[in-house]
């Protein structure tokens, strides 16, 4: 079978590529197809991330085994597409070049019979031009104030450790006593 993906750059403009690739190909093969489709040089590291239907990032699948013990961490080459994606699990996130954070939403749109005479992977459609630099990422959580309207009910008197209104400035320590 052939998996047909839409790979969308996380940007304000519509920039995407449609790619067809065989189901037995690996995530590394999909990585190479994405690199070629978007015109990257392929010299940067990358990772796929499993995610839920709301694009919430879950498990990382790196390009290379980055574990401390060789072979302890599975890499893209260890995952056939059919082991990660199917008609129920259709979304993954792809990040290329961790310094620039080119981020893509990759969605499986169709599973079809291969066409005679077509070599895969195949770039089916291209829309939009790649910007020169990666779009800015906003890493803030929903809402700017992560603590909300937190009030701890302490005031300056509660923090007076000496109990008599003195503070460290009133203690007349010699500034150079350690010299």
């Amino acid at each position: 079978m052939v998996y047909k993906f839409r790979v969308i750059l996380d940007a304000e403009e519509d920039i995407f590529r449609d790619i067809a690739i065989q189901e037995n190909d690996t995530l590394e093969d999909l990585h190479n197809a994405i690199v070629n489709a978007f015109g990257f040089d392929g010299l940067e590291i990358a990772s796929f991330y499993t995610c839920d239907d709301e694009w919430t990032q879950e498990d990382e699948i790196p390009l290379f085994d980055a574990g401390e013990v060789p072979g302890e961490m599975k890499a893209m080459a260890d995952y056939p597409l059919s082991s990660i994606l199917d008609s129920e699990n259709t979304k993954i996130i792809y990040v290329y070049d961790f310094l620039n954070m080119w981020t893509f939403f990759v969605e499986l749109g169709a599973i079809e019979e291969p066409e005679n005479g077509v070599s895969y992977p195949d770039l089916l459609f291209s829309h939009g031009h790649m910007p020169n630099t990666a779009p800015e990422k906003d890493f803030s959580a929903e809402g700017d104030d992560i603590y909300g309207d937190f009030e701890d009910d302490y005031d300056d008197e509660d923090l007076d450790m000496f109990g008599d209104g003195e503070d460290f400035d009133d203690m007349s320590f010699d500034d150079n006593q350690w010299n």
Side-chain angles (χ1 to χ4, degrees):
M1 300 300 287
V2 170
Y3 281 13
K4 292 186 176 180
F5 291 98
R6 175 151 291 171
V7 183
I8 305 166
L9 176 64
D10 184 12
E12 294 208 15
E13 308 83 32
D14 288 337
I15 302 168
F16 62 87
R17 307 291 185 260
D18 291 344
I19 297 171
I21 188 168
Q22 294 181 353
E23 70 177 330
N24 294 331
D25 284 339
T26 65
L27 284 176
E28 184 176 18
D29 297 321
L30 181 58
H31 153 77
N32 291 328
I34 293 170
V35 164
N36 290 330
F38 284 93
F40 293 120
D41 60 16
L43 299 176
E44 303 297 332
I45 60 172
S47 287
F48 282 101
Y49 295 88
T50 59
C51 62
D52 62 18
D53 286 339
E54 302 299 318
W55 297 102
T56 304
Q57 184 175 312
E58 295 173 346
D59 298 325
E60 179 181 14
I61 304 169
L63 180 58
F64 303 108
D65 176 357
E68 291 187 25
V69 177
E72 82 174 337
M73 177 182 266
K74 287 181 137 185
M76 289 182 197
D78 299 319
Y79 290 94
L81 294 174
S82 59
S83 71
I84 298 290
L85 299 155
D86 56 36
S87 59
E88 299 295 315
N89 300 301
T90 61
K91 298 177 180 181
I92 54 176
I93 298 169
Y94 175 72
V95 177
Y96 177 81
D97 184 358
F98 287 94
L99 292 178
N100 292 302
M101 296 297 290
W102 292 95
T103 304
F104 299 86
F105 299 107
V106 181
E107 186 164 16
L108 176 61
I111 302 173
E112 299 176 353
E113 292 290 330
E115 294 180 32
N116 289 331
V118 175
S119 61
Y120 296 99
D122 184 27
L123 178 61
L124 303 172
F125 185 75
S126 178
H127 178 81
H129 297 285
M130 287 292 288
N132 292 331
T133 59
E136 295 272 332
K137 295 285 172 242
D138 178 14
F139 290 106
S140 63
E142 288 184 28
D144 292 330
D145 184 7
I146 62 171
Y147 297 107
D149 291 329
F150 179 74
E151 183 63 45
D152 63 8
D153 296 328
Y154 288 111
D155 58 22
D156 289 337
E157 289 180 19
D158 292 324
L159 300 175
D160 180 12
M161 65 186 293
F162 300 108
D164 55 7
E166 292 184 1
D167 60 22
F168 283 112
D169 294 334
D170 298 332
M171 297 301 294
S172 66
F173 287 112
D174 180 10
D175 290 336
N176 296 317
Q177 74 180 10
W178 299 105
N179 291 336

